Coordinates of all heavy atoms in Angstrom, one line a residue:
M1 N -53.8 -54.9 -10.4 CA -53.5 -56.3 -10.3 C -54.1 -57.0 -9.1 O -54.2 -56.4 -8.0 CB -51.9 -56.4 -10.2 CG -51.4 -57.8 -10.0 SD -49.6 -57.9 -10.0 CE -49.4 -59.6 -9.8
E2 N -54.6 -58.1 -9.4 CA -55.3 -58.9 -8.3 C -54.4 -59.9 -7.7 O -53.8 -60.7 -8.4 CB -56.6 -59.5 -8.8 CG -57.8 -59.2 -8.0 CD -59.0 -59.8 -8.7 OE1 -59.3 -61.0 -8.4 OE2 -59.6 -59.1 -9.5
W3 N -54.3 -60.0 -6.4 CA -53.5 -61.0 -5.8 C -54.3 -62.2 -5.5 O -55.4 -62.1 -5.1 CB -52.9 -60.4 -4.5 CG -52.0 -59.3 -4.7 CD1 -52.3 -58.0 -4.6 CD2 -50.6 -59.3 -5.1 NE1 -51.2 -57.2 -4.9 CE2 -50.2 -58.0 -5.2 CE3 -49.7 -60.4 -5.3 CZ2 -48.9 -57.7 -5.6 CZ3 -48.4 -60.0 -5.7 CH2 -48.0 -58.7 -5.8
P4 N -53.7 -63.4 -5.7 CA -54.4 -64.6 -5.4 C -54.6 -64.7 -3.9 O -53.8 -64.3 -3.1 CB -53.5 -65.7 -5.9 CG -52.1 -65.1 -5.9 CD -52.3 -63.6 -6.1
M5 N -55.7 -65.3 -3.5 CA -56.0 -65.6 -2.1 C -55.1 -66.7 -1.6 O -54.9 -67.7 -2.3 CB -57.5 -66.0 -1.9 CG -58.5 -64.9 -2.2 SD -58.5 -63.6 -1.0 CE -59.1 -64.5 0.5
L6 N -54.5 -66.4 -0.4 CA -53.7 -67.4 0.2 C -54.5 -68.3 1.1 O -55.5 -67.9 1.7 CB -52.6 -66.8 1.0 CG -51.6 -65.9 0.2 CD1 -50.6 -65.2 1.2 CD2 -50.8 -66.7 -0.8
E7 N -54.1 -69.6 1.1 CA -54.7 -70.5 2.0 C -54.4 -70.0 3.4 O -53.3 -69.6 3.7 CB -54.1 -71.9 1.9 CG -54.3 -72.5 0.5 CD -55.4 -73.6 0.5 OE1 -55.6 -74.2 1.6 OE2 -56.0 -73.8 -0.5
P8 N -55.4 -70.1 4.3 CA -55.1 -69.7 5.7 C -54.0 -70.6 6.3 O -54.0 -71.8 6.1 CB -56.4 -69.8 6.5 CG -57.3 -70.6 5.6 CD -56.8 -70.5 4.2
L9 N -53.1 -70.0 7.1 CA -52.1 -70.8 7.7 C -52.7 -71.7 8.8 O -53.6 -71.2 9.4 CB -51.0 -69.9 8.3 CG -50.2 -69.1 7.3 CD1 -49.3 -68.1 8.0 CD2 -49.4 -70.0 6.4
R10 N -52.2 -72.8 9.0 CA -52.6 -73.7 10.1 C -52.3 -73.0 11.4 O -51.2 -72.5 11.5 CB -52.0 -75.1 10.0 CG -52.7 -76.0 9.1 CD -51.9 -77.3 9.1 NE -51.7 -77.8 10.4 CZ -52.2 -79.0 10.9 NH1 -52.8 -79.8 10.0 NH2 -52.0 -79.4 12.1
D11 N -53.2 -73.0 12.3 CA -53.0 -72.3 13.6 C -52.4 -73.4 14.5 O -53.1 -74.2 15.0 CB -54.3 -71.8 14.1 CG -54.0 -71.0 15.4 OD1 -52.9 -70.8 15.8 OD2 -55.0 -70.6 16.0
S12 N -51.0 -73.2 14.8 CA -50.4 -74.2 15.6 C -50.8 -74.0 17.1 O -50.6 -74.8 17.9 CB -48.9 -74.1 15.6 OG -48.5 -72.8 16.0
Q13 N -51.5 -72.9 17.4 CA -52.0 -72.7 18.8 C -53.1 -73.6 19.1 O -53.5 -73.6 20.3 CB -52.4 -71.2 18.9 CG -51.3 -70.2 18.6 CD -50.1 -70.4 19.4 OE1 -50.1 -70.6 20.6 NE2 -48.9 -70.4 18.7
D14 N -53.7 -74.3 18.2 CA -54.7 -75.3 18.5 C -54.1 -76.4 19.4 O -54.8 -77.0 20.2 CB -55.2 -76.0 17.2 CG -56.1 -75.0 16.4 OD1 -56.5 -74.0 17.0 OD2 -56.4 -75.3 15.3
A15 N -52.8 -76.7 19.2 CA -52.2 -77.8 20.0 C -51.9 -77.3 21.4 O -51.5 -76.1 21.5 CB -51.0 -78.3 19.3
A16 N -52.0 -78.1 22.4 CA -51.5 -77.7 23.7 C -50.0 -77.7 23.8 O -49.4 -78.5 23.1 CB -52.1 -78.7 24.7
P17 N -49.4 -76.7 24.5 CA -48.0 -76.7 24.6 C -47.4 -78.0 25.2 O -48.1 -78.5 26.1 CB -47.7 -75.5 25.5 CG -49.0 -75.2 26.1 CD -50.1 -75.7 25.3
A18 N -46.3 -78.4 24.8 CA -45.7 -79.6 25.3 C -44.8 -79.3 26.5 O -44.5 -80.2 27.3 CB -44.8 -80.3 24.2
A19 N -44.3 -78.0 26.6 CA -43.5 -77.6 27.6 C -43.5 -76.1 27.7 O -44.0 -75.4 26.8 CB -42.0 -78.1 27.4
R20 N -42.9 -75.6 28.8 CA -42.7 -74.1 28.9 C -41.2 -73.8 29.1 O -40.5 -74.5 29.7 CB -43.5 -73.5 30.1 CG -45.0 -73.5 29.8 CD -45.7 -72.7 30.8 NE -47.1 -72.6 30.5 CZ -47.7 -71.6 29.7 NH1 -46.9 -70.6 29.3 NH2 -48.9 -71.6 29.4
C21 N -40.8 -72.7 28.5 CA -39.4 -72.2 28.6 C -39.2 -71.9 30.1 O -39.9 -71.2 30.8 CB -39.2 -71.0 27.8 SG -37.6 -70.2 28.0
G22 N -38.0 -72.4 30.6 CA -37.6 -72.1 32.0 C -37.2 -70.7 32.2 O -37.0 -70.3 33.4
R23 N -37.1 -69.9 31.2 CA -36.7 -68.5 31.4 C -37.8 -67.5 31.2 O -38.2 -66.8 32.0 CB -35.5 -68.1 30.5 CG -35.0 -66.7 30.7 CD -33.6 -66.4 30.2 NE -32.7 -67.3 30.9 CZ -31.5 -67.6 30.5 NH1 -31.1 -67.2 29.3 NH2 -30.7 -68.4 31.2
C24 N -38.4 -67.6 29.9 CA -39.5 -66.6 29.6 C -40.9 -67.1 29.9 O -41.8 -66.4 29.9 CB -39.4 -66.2 28.2 SG -39.9 -67.4 27.0
G25 N -41.0 -68.5 30.1 CA -42.3 -69.0 30.4 C -43.1 -69.3 29.1 O -44.2 -69.7 29.2
G26 N -42.5 -69.0 28.0 CA -43.2 -69.2 26.7 C -43.5 -70.6 26.4 O -42.9 -71.5 26.9
E27 N -44.6 -70.8 25.6 CA -45.0 -72.1 25.3 C -44.1 -72.8 24.2 O -43.7 -72.1 23.3 CB -46.5 -72.1 24.8 CG -47.4 -71.6 25.8 CD -48.8 -71.4 25.3 OE1 -49.0 -71.4 24.1 OE2 -49.8 -71.4 26.1
V28 N -43.8 -74.0 24.4 CA -43.0 -74.8 23.4 C -43.8 -76.0 23.0 O -44.4 -76.7 23.9 CB -41.7 -75.2 24.0 CG1 -40.8 -76.0 23.0 CG2 -40.9 -74.0 24.6
Y29 N -43.9 -76.2 21.7 CA -44.8 -77.2 21.2 C -44.0 -78.4 20.8 O -42.8 -78.4 20.6 CB -45.6 -76.6 20.0 CG -46.5 -75.5 20.4 CD1 -46.1 -74.2 20.5 CD2 -47.8 -75.8 21.0 CE1 -46.9 -73.2 21.0 CE2 -48.6 -74.9 21.4 CZ -48.2 -73.5 21.4 OH -49.0 -72.6 21.9
K30 N -44.8 -79.5 20.6 CA -44.2 -80.8 20.2 C -43.4 -80.6 19.0 O -43.8 -79.9 18.0 CB -45.4 -81.8 19.9 CG -45.0 -83.2 19.7 CD -46.3 -84.1 19.6 CE -46.0 -85.5 19.6 NZ -45.2 -86.0 18.5
N31 N -42.3 -81.3 18.9 CA -41.3 -81.3 17.8 C -40.5 -80.0 17.8 O -39.6 -79.9 16.9 CB -41.9 -81.5 16.5 CG -42.6 -82.9 16.4 OD1 -42.0 -83.9 17.0 ND2 -43.7 -83.0 15.7
E32 N -40.7 -79.0 18.7 CA -39.8 -77.9 18.8 C -38.6 -78.3 19.7 O -38.8 -79.1 20.6 CB -40.5 -76.7 19.3 CG -41.5 -76.1 18.3 CD -42.2 -74.8 18.8 OE1 -42.1 -74.5 20.0 OE2 -42.8 -74.2 18.0
R33 N -37.5 -77.7 19.5 CA -36.3 -78.0 20.3 C -36.1 -77.1 21.5 O -36.4 -75.9 21.4 CB -35.1 -77.9 19.4 CG -33.8 -78.5 19.9 CD -32.8 -78.9 18.8 NE -33.3 -79.9 18.0 CZ -33.1 -81.2 18.1 NH1 -32.4 -81.6 19.2 NH2 -33.6 -82.1 17.3
M34 N -35.6 -77.6 22.6 CA -35.3 -76.8 23.7 C -33.8 -77.0 24.0 O -33.2 -78.0 23.6 CB -36.1 -77.2 24.9 CG -37.6 -77.0 24.7 SD -38.6 -77.3 26.2 CE -38.4 -75.7 27.0
F35 N -33.2 -76.1 24.8 CA -31.8 -76.1 25.0 C -31.6 -75.9 26.5 O -32.1 -75.0 27.2 CB -31.1 -74.9 24.3 CG -31.4 -75.0 22.8 CD1 -32.6 -74.4 22.3 CD2 -30.5 -75.6 22.0 CE1 -32.9 -74.5 20.9 CE2 -30.8 -75.7 20.6 CZ -31.9 -75.2 20.1
R36 N -30.7 -76.7 27.1 CA -30.5 -76.7 28.6 C -29.3 -75.8 28.9 O -28.2 -75.9 28.3 CB -30.2 -78.1 29.1 CG -30.3 -78.2 30.6 CD -30.2 -79.7 31.0 NE -29.9 -79.8 32.4 CZ -30.9 -79.9 33.3 NH1 -32.1 -79.8 33.0 NH2 -30.6 -80.1 34.6
S37 N -29.6 -74.9 29.8 CA -28.5 -73.9 30.1 C -28.7 -73.6 31.6 O -29.8 -73.2 32.1 CB -28.6 -72.6 29.3 OG -27.7 -71.7 29.7
D38 N -27.6 -73.7 32.4 CA -27.6 -73.5 33.8 C -28.8 -74.2 34.5 O -29.5 -73.6 35.4 CB -27.7 -72.0 34.1 CG -26.4 -71.3 33.8 OD1 -25.3 -72.0 33.8 OD2 -26.4 -70.1 33.5
G39 N -29.1 -75.4 34.1 CA -30.1 -76.2 34.7 C -31.5 -75.9 34.3 O -32.5 -76.5 34.8
K40 N -31.7 -75.0 33.3 CA -33.0 -74.6 32.9 C -33.1 -75.0 31.4 O -32.2 -74.8 30.6 CB -33.3 -73.1 33.0 CG -33.4 -72.7 34.4 CD -33.7 -71.2 34.5 CE -33.9 -70.8 36.0 NZ -34.1 -69.3 36.1
W41 N -34.3 -75.5 31.0 CA -34.6 -75.7 29.6 C -35.2 -74.5 28.9 O -36.2 -73.9 29.4 CB -35.6 -76.9 29.4 CG -35.0 -78.2 29.7 CD1 -35.0 -78.9 30.9 CD2 -34.1 -79.0 28.8 NE1 -34.2 -80.1 30.8 CE2 -33.7 -80.1 29.5 CE3 -33.7 -78.8 27.5 CZ2 -32.9 -81.1 28.9 CZ3 -32.9 -79.7 26.9 CH2 -32.5 -80.9 27.6
L42 N -34.5 -74.0 27.9 CA -34.8 -72.7 27.3 C -35.5 -73.0 25.9 O -35.2 -73.9 25.2 CB -33.6 -71.9 27.0 CG -32.7 -71.7 28.2 CD1 -31.5 -70.8 27.8 CD2 -33.4 -71.1 29.4
C43 N -36.4 -72.0 25.5 CA -36.9 -72.0 24.2 C -35.9 -71.5 23.2 O -34.8 -70.9 23.6 CB -38.2 -71.1 24.1 SG -37.9 -69.4 24.3
I44 N -36.1 -71.6 21.9 CA -35.1 -71.2 20.9 C -34.8 -69.7 21.0 O -33.7 -69.3 20.8 CB -35.6 -71.6 19.5 CG1 -34.5 -71.3 18.4 CG2 -36.9 -71.0 19.1 CD1 -33.3 -72.1 18.5
D45 N -35.8 -68.9 21.3 CA -35.6 -67.4 21.4 C -34.7 -67.1 22.6 O -33.8 -66.3 22.4 CB -36.9 -66.7 21.5 CG -37.8 -66.8 20.2 OD1 -37.2 -67.0 19.2 OD2 -39.0 -66.7 20.3
C46 N -34.9 -67.7 23.7 CA -34.0 -67.4 24.9 C -32.6 -68.0 24.6 O -31.6 -67.4 25.1 CB -34.6 -68.0 26.1 SG -36.1 -67.1 26.7
F47 N -32.5 -69.1 24.0 CA -31.2 -69.7 23.6 C -30.5 -68.7 22.7 O -29.3 -68.4 22.9 CB -31.4 -71.1 23.0 CG -30.1 -71.7 22.5 CD1 -29.1 -72.0 23.4 CD2 -29.8 -71.9 21.2 CE1 -27.9 -72.6 23.0 CE2 -28.7 -72.4 20.7 CZ -27.7 -72.8 21.6
R48 N -31.1 -68.2 21.7 CA -30.5 -67.3 20.8 C -30.0 -66.0 21.5 O -28.9 -65.5 21.3 CB -31.5 -66.8 19.7 CG -31.6 -67.8 18.6 CD -32.4 -67.2 17.4 NE -32.5 -68.2 16.4 CZ -33.7 -68.7 16.0 NH1 -34.8 -68.3 16.5 NH2 -33.7 -69.6 15.0
A49 N -30.9 -65.5 22.4 CA -30.5 -64.3 23.2 C -29.3 -64.6 24.1 O -28.4 -63.7 24.2 CB -31.7 -63.9 24.0
E50 N -29.3 -65.8 24.7 CA -28.1 -66.1 25.5 C -26.8 -66.2 24.7 O -25.8 -65.6 25.1 CB -28.4 -67.4 26.2 CG -27.3 -67.8 27.2 CD -27.7 -68.9 28.2 OE1 -28.7 -68.7 28.8 OE2 -27.0 -69.9 28.2
I51 N -26.9 -66.8 23.5 CA -25.7 -66.9 22.7 C -25.3 -65.5 22.2 O -24.1 -65.2 22.2 CB -25.9 -67.9 21.6 CG1 -26.2 -69.3 22.1 CG2 -24.7 -67.9 20.6 CD1 -25.0 -69.9 22.9
E52 N -26.2 -64.7 21.8 CA -25.9 -63.4 21.3 C -25.3 -62.5 22.4 O -24.3 -61.8 22.2 CB -27.1 -62.7 20.8 CG -27.5 -63.3 19.4 CD -28.9 -62.8 19.0 OE1 -29.6 -62.0 19.7 OE2 -29.3 -63.3 17.9
S53 N -25.8 -62.7 23.6 CA -25.2 -62.0 24.8 C -23.8 -62.4 25.1 O -22.9 -61.6 25.3 CB -26.1 -62.2 26.0 OG -25.5 -61.7 27.2
M54 N -23.6 -63.7 25.0 CA -22.3 -64.3 25.2 C -21.3 -63.8 24.2 O -20.1 -63.5 24.4 CB -22.4 -65.8 25.2 CG -21.1 -66.6 25.7 SD -21.3 -68.4 25.6 CE -22.8 -68.7 26.6
L55 N -21.8 -63.8 22.9 CA -20.9 -63.4 21.8 C -20.5 -61.9 22.0 O -19.3 -61.6 21.8 CB -21.7 -63.5 20.5 CG -20.9 -63.1 19.2 CD1 -19.7 -63.9 19.1 CD2 -21.8 -63.3 18.0
R56 N -21.4 -61.1 22.5 CA -21.0 -59.6 22.7 C -20.1 -59.5 23.9 O -19.2 -58.7 23.9 CB -22.3 -58.8 23.0 CG -23.0 -58.4 21.7 CD -24.1 -57.4 21.9 NE -25.1 -57.9 22.8 CZ -26.2 -58.6 22.4 NH1 -26.3 -58.8 21.1 NH2 -27.1 -59.1 23.2
S57 N -20.4 -60.2 25.0 CA -19.7 -60.0 26.3 C -18.4 -60.8 26.4 O -17.5 -60.3 27.1 CB -20.6 -60.2 27.5 OG -20.9 -61.6 27.5
N58 N -18.4 -62.0 25.8 CA -17.2 -62.8 26.0 C -16.9 -63.7 24.8 O -17.1 -64.9 24.9 CB -17.4 -63.7 27.3 CG -16.1 -64.2 27.8 OD1 -15.1 -64.3 27.1 ND2 -16.1 -64.7 29.1
P59 N -16.5 -63.1 23.7 CA -16.4 -63.9 22.5 C -15.3 -65.0 22.6 O -15.3 -66.0 22.0 CB -16.0 -62.9 21.4 CG -15.6 -61.7 22.1 CD -16.3 -61.7 23.5
V60 N -14.3 -64.7 23.5 CA -13.2 -65.7 23.7 C -13.7 -67.0 24.3 O -13.4 -68.1 23.9 CB -12.0 -65.1 24.5 CG1 -11.1 -66.2 24.9 CG2 -11.3 -64.0 23.8
F61 N -14.6 -66.8 25.3 CA -15.2 -68.0 25.9 C -16.0 -68.8 24.9 O -16.0 -70.0 24.9 CB -16.1 -67.5 27.1 CG -16.8 -68.7 27.7 CD1 -16.2 -69.6 28.6 CD2 -18.2 -68.8 27.5 CE1 -16.9 -70.6 29.1 CE2 -18.9 -69.9 28.0 CZ -18.3 -70.8 28.9
L62 N -16.8 -68.0 24.1 CA -17.7 -68.7 23.1 C -16.8 -69.5 22.1 O -17.2 -70.6 21.8 CB -18.6 -67.7 22.4 CG -19.6 -68.3 21.5 CD1 -20.5 -69.3 22.2 CD2 -20.4 -67.2 20.9
A63 N -15.7 -68.9 21.7 CA -14.8 -69.5 20.7 C -14.3 -70.8 21.4 O -14.2 -71.8 20.7 CB -13.7 -68.6 20.3
D64 N -13.9 -70.8 22.7 CA -13.4 -72.0 23.4 C -14.5 -73.1 23.4 O -14.2 -74.2 23.1 CB -13.0 -71.6 24.8 CG -11.7 -70.9 24.9 OD1 -10.9 -71.0 23.9 OD2 -11.4 -70.3 25.9
V65 N -15.7 -72.7 23.7 CA -16.8 -73.7 23.7 C -17.0 -74.3 22.4 O -17.3 -75.5 22.2 CB -18.1 -73.0 24.2 CG1 -19.3 -73.9 24.0 CG2 -18.0 -72.6 25.7
L66 N -16.9 -73.5 21.3 CA -17.1 -74.0 19.9 C -15.8 -74.7 19.4 O -15.8 -75.1 18.2 CB -17.5 -72.8 19.0 CG -18.9 -72.2 19.4 CD1 -19.1 -71.0 18.5 CD2 -20.0 -73.2 19.2
L67 N -14.8 -74.8 20.2 CA -13.5 -75.4 19.8 C -12.9 -74.7 18.6 O -12.3 -75.3 17.7 CB -13.7 -76.9 19.5 CG -14.3 -77.7 20.6 CD1 -14.5 -79.2 20.1 CD2 -13.5 -77.7 21.9
M68 N -13.1 -73.3 18.6 CA -12.5 -72.5 17.5 C -11.2 -71.9 18.0 O -11.0 -71.5 19.2 CB -13.4 -71.4 17.1 CG -14.7 -71.8 16.6 SD -15.9 -70.5 16.2 CE -15.1 -69.7 14.8
E69 N -10.2 -71.9 17.1 CA -8.9 -71.3 17.5 C -9.1 -69.8 17.6 O -9.8 -69.2 16.8 CB -7.9 -71.7 16.4 CG -7.4 -73.1 16.5 CD -6.2 -73.3 15.5 OE1 -5.1 -72.8 15.8 OE2 -6.5 -73.9 14.5
H70 N -8.3 -69.2 18.4 CA -8.2 -67.7 18.5 C -6.9 -67.3 19.0 O -6.2 -68.2 19.7 CB -9.3 -67.1 19.3 CG -9.5 -67.7 20.7 ND1 -8.7 -67.3 21.8 CD2 -10.2 -68.7 21.2 CE1 -9.1 -68.0 22.8 NE2 -10.0 -68.9 22.5
R71 N -6.4 -66.2 18.8 CA -5.1 -65.8 19.2 C -5.0 -64.2 19.3 O -5.7 -63.5 18.6 CB -4.0 -66.3 18.3 CG -4.1 -65.7 16.9 CD -3.1 -66.3 15.9 NE -3.3 -65.7 14.6 CZ -2.3 -65.3 13.8 NH1 -1.0 -65.4 14.3 NH2 -2.5 -64.7 12.7
E72 N -4.1 -63.8 20.2 CA -3.8 -62.4 20.2 C -2.6 -62.2 19.2 O -1.8 -63.1 19.0 CB -3.3 -62.0 21.6 CG -4.4 -61.9 22.6 CD -3.9 -61.5 24.0 OE1 -2.7 -61.8 24.3 OE2 -4.7 -60.9 24.7
V73 N -2.6 -61.0 18.6 CA -1.6 -60.7 17.6 C -0.8 -59.4 18.0 O -1.3 -58.7 18.8 CB -2.1 -60.5 16.2 CG1 -2.7 -61.8 15.7 CG2 -3.2 -59.4 16.1
Ligands
ZN1 ZN1 -37.8 -68.6 26.4

């Protein structure tokens, strides 16, 4: 079976970065979102890592921030 040739993906690296992540230093491009945490603007990957870490270490605090109910039983 022959697979159709795919069009080459556009290389977004042609564009100059619009900003750099305040944590990892990674490049962030125009129209990508950044997240402010502890005074630093983070890329999406660092934001995800921070939330995942918070979820593991202190889920009660995260639930409070998200205005979610929680209770001891
Ligand atoms: Zn980052």
Side-chain angles (χ1 to χ4, degrees):
M1 176 175 180
E2 232 175 87
W3 295 96
M5 291 292 290
L6 296 175
E7 299 255 334
L9 295 174
R10 277 179 51 123
D11 184 7
S12 64
Q13 303 304 311
D14 286 347
R20 285 193 177 269
C21 174
R23 181 158 300 159
C24 72
E27 296 175 343
V28 181
Y29 295 91
K30 189 173 188 298
N31 297 326
E32 290 182 345
R33 192 160 295 270
M34 298 187 82
F35 303 85
R36 191 170 168 91
S37 174
D38 287 336
K40 291 182 178 176
W41 286 98
L42 308 182
C43 70
I44 183 68
D45 291 336
C46 288
F47 176 65
R48 283 193 179 112
E50 183 164 305
I51 296 300
E52 286 168 2
S53 171
M54 192 184 302
L55 181 58
R56 280 191 297 273
S57 65
N58 198 343
V60 169
F61 174 76
L62 186 58
D64 284 341
V65 169
L66 295 173
L67 305 177
M68 296 175 72
E69 285 187 74
H70 52 85
R71 63 185 179 135
E72 287 180 331
V73 293

